[in-house]
Amino acid sequence: MVAHVQQVLRDAGATGEVVHLADSARTAQEAAAVLGVEVGAIASSLVFEVEGNPVLVLTSGAHRVDTAKVAGLLGVPELRKATAAFVREHTGQAIGGVAPVGHPELIGTLVDITLARFPQVWAAAGHPHAVFPTTYDELLRITAGTAAEVDAG
């Protein structure tokens, strides 16, 4: 899966190369510690279910997604956290390593505007031991994402 994500990144003209980590980066805190960066510079890929369809929210590792706020942004009654099986079905990847790209089909994506504060952000690359550096603008471009305020703050 990591090789596929790297190829998708290359095909999209992304500038960062996948980095393989000795330690797990399943959580934003783990990733930040391993990489030596602020937790806010980790782009956590969270999959939610909206009326049977996936929605990907790339949020700053320093935030929790406000599901009511995001449901309002999407104009839907409810946003539910996806099950592990739902995540794997729609992304081909396991929770803790979901990349923002490389899924079987394009997933509607919201990108936390807070990530724009960091000159470099890190995202998972399809496995809990693989990440890649990118920028906020590049994340928007490679995911065809929409900038959004997704946190409760």
Side-chain angles (χ1 to χ4, degrees), residues 15 115 118-122 132-140:
T15 57
L115 292 167
F118 299 93
Q120 182 179 63
V121 296
W122 291 84
F132 69 96
T134 187
T135 65
Y136 177 74
D137 289 338
E138 189 172 78
L139 271 178
L140 285 170

Side-chain angles (χ1 to χ4, degrees), residues 25-116:
R26 284 188 188 278
T27 68
Q29 291 78 11
E30 287 177 353
V34 169
L35 295 165
V37 300
E38 290 182 55
V39 72
I42 304 299
S44 297
S45 297
L46 304 175
V47 178
F48 294 90
E49 184 178 349
V50 176
E51 300 171 347
N53 297 305
V55 171
L56 179 61
V57 178
L58 301 177
T59 188
S60 166
H63 289 160
R64 294 189 64 82
V65 173
D66 182 331
T67 56
K69 180 188 282 187
V70 173
L73 289 171
L74 297 173
V76 298
E78 182 182 30
L79 185 75
R80 288 183 301 200
K81 190 147 187 166
T83 65
F86 185 89
V87 171
R88 185 169 296 276
E89 174 188 350
H90 291 282
T91 68
Q93 303 163 15
I95 291 174
V98 174
V101 297
H103 314 130
E105 294 183 13
L106 187 63
I107 297 175
T109 303
L110 297 177
V111 183
D112 186 351
I113 60 173
T114 302
L115 292 167

